[in-house]
């Protein structure tokens, strides 16, 4: 079944941060290049990625995520996109949930229409857990008025990946995401390059989901599903 309307396009840059000290140094920045960085809080994000028992969605390069923040849950689907340089672009749709999810989980509403032809009525269960400590910053031009909407959000993430049935982390790492808000793709790219050059950061072609899939299900499955 075709999606009833196109999903919005997520545009973001991703950079790996090898040293904790660099993440702390970036958090202290008030500006870089022509951009002002204004902190607007920290968050702890608990995400549960779900799929059919045979990973039907992941094999089609679709990630479906349940995320809890401040006691509220949301459901997000992300379709395969493209990575060009530092920037990831992919369709993404998010809907709020009225109650905490129960497993096995059944899709309804807009995402049921988007994905029912793929999952064919199958219930979805957890396949990967991520826990993220995130520090967030609004990005604007130094020359812009204080009331101007932010061009992007800069997120400084400490990430912990694990299997659904295991409290032991399979990986922990630090990452930066720069997501377009009211700016352009060029703003996202320029800010990413400024941070990359100043702190000698490596671009990341992977999502948290694809990194977790590779660790839990092997390099062959990771290669099949791509960066997502």
């Amino acid at each position: 079944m075709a999606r009833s309307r196109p999903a919005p396009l997520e545009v973001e840059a991703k950079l790996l941060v090898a040293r904790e000290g660099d993440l702390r140094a970036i958090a202290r920045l008030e500006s870089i290049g022509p951009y002002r960085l204004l902190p607007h809080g920290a968050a702890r994000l608990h995400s549960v990625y779900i799929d059919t028992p045979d990973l039907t969605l992941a094999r089609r390069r679709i990630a479906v995520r349940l995320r809890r923040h401040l006691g509220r849950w949301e459901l997000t689907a992300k379709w395969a996109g493209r990575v060009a340089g530092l920037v990831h672009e992919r369709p993404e749709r998010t809907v709020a949930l009225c109650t905490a999810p129960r497993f096995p989980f059944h899709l309804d509403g807009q995402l049921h229409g988007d994905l029912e032809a793929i999952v064919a009525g199958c219930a979805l269960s957890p396949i990967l857990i991520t826990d993220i400590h995130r520090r967030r910053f609004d990005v604007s031009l130094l020359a812009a008025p204080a009331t101007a909407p932010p061009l992007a959000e800069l997120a400084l993430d400490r990430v912990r990946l694990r299997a659904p049935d295991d409290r032991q982390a399979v990986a922990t790492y630090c990452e930066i995401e720069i997501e377009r808000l009211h700016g352009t793709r060029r703003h996202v790219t320029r800010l990413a390059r400024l941070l990359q050059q100043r702190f000698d950061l490596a671009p990341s072609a992977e999502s948290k989901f694809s990194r977790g899939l590779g660790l839990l299900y092997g390099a062959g499955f990771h290669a099949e599903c791509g960066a997502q």
Side-chain angles (χ1 to χ4, degrees):
M1 181 183 298
R3 297 196 292 274
S4 57
R5 65 178 186 273
L9 188 67
E10 177 190 56
V11 177
E12 66 179 7
K14 301 167 74 69
L15 296 163
L16 292 174
V17 183
R19 297 176 293 272
E20 283 267 351
D22 287 341
L23 204 67
R24 291 192 293 271
I26 295 167
R28 292 193 293 268
L29 292 175
E30 295 182 358
S31 65
I32 185 168
Y35 299 107
R36 178 187 296 111
L37 307 179
L38 181 65
H40 71 99
R44 292 191 180 274
L45 307 173
H46 174 73
S47 298
V48 182
Y49 289 89
I50 55 177
D51 207 331
T52 65
D54 57 356
L55 304 180
T56 301
L57 292 166
R59 294 184 191 281
R60 291 177 178 251
R61 303 182 66 193
I62 301 170
V64 176
R65 180 189 73 201
L66 292 155
R67 173 168 283 179
R68 183 186 68 215
H69 172 48
L70 296 177
R72 297 180 180 178
W73 286 88
E74 64 182 23
L75 176 65
T76 297
K78 299 189 181 191
W79 287 264
R82 70 187 187 101
V83 180
L86 298 174
V87 177
H88 297 233
E89 296 183 355
R90 57 189 172 180
E92 173 188 276
R93 194 187 309 283
T94 296
V95 296
L97 299 181
C98 297
T99 60
R102 294 176 179 270
F103 301 108
F105 186 85
H106 290 272
L107 296 169
D108 60 11
Q110 179 67 57
L111 287 177
H112 178 273
D114 290 342
L115 300 172
E116 176 58 22
I118 298 172
V119 302
C122 291
L124 308 180
S125 297
I127 61 167
L128 171 69
I129 306 293
T130 68
D131 289 292
I132 303 167
H133 180 261
R134 170 170 289 178
R135 297 185 68 177
R136 301 176 297 175
F137 299 78
D138 284 336
V139 179
S140 60
L141 290 170
L142 287 167
T147 54
L151 302 172
E153 180 183 80
L154 169 66
L156 309 184
D157 289 348
R158 291 177 173 85
V159 184
R160 183 176 183 269
L161 304 174
R162 63 179 175 87
D165 54 354
D166 192 351
R167 293 290 177 182
Q168 192 71 25
V170 295
T172 58
Y173 64 99
C174 296
E175 181 180 66
I176 290 173
E177 291 185 356
I178 304 163
E179 183 173 355
R180 183 183 68 181
L181 296 178
H182 301 280
T184 65
R185 189 180 188 280
R186 181 175 176 273
H187 288 126
V188 172
T189 302
R190 187 177 184 189
L191 177 57
R193 286 178 176 161
L194 287 167
L195 290 167
Q196 181 186 28
Q197 292 164 6
R198 181 159 173 176
F199 294 95
D200 192 26
L201 305 179
S204 174
E206 295 184 299
S207 67
K208 296 173 178 67
F209 180 57
S210 64
R211 184 182 296 271
L213 287 182
L215 291 168
L216 294 178
Y217 299 98
F221 187 82
H222 177 267
E224 177 184 345
C225 293
Q228 298 191 85

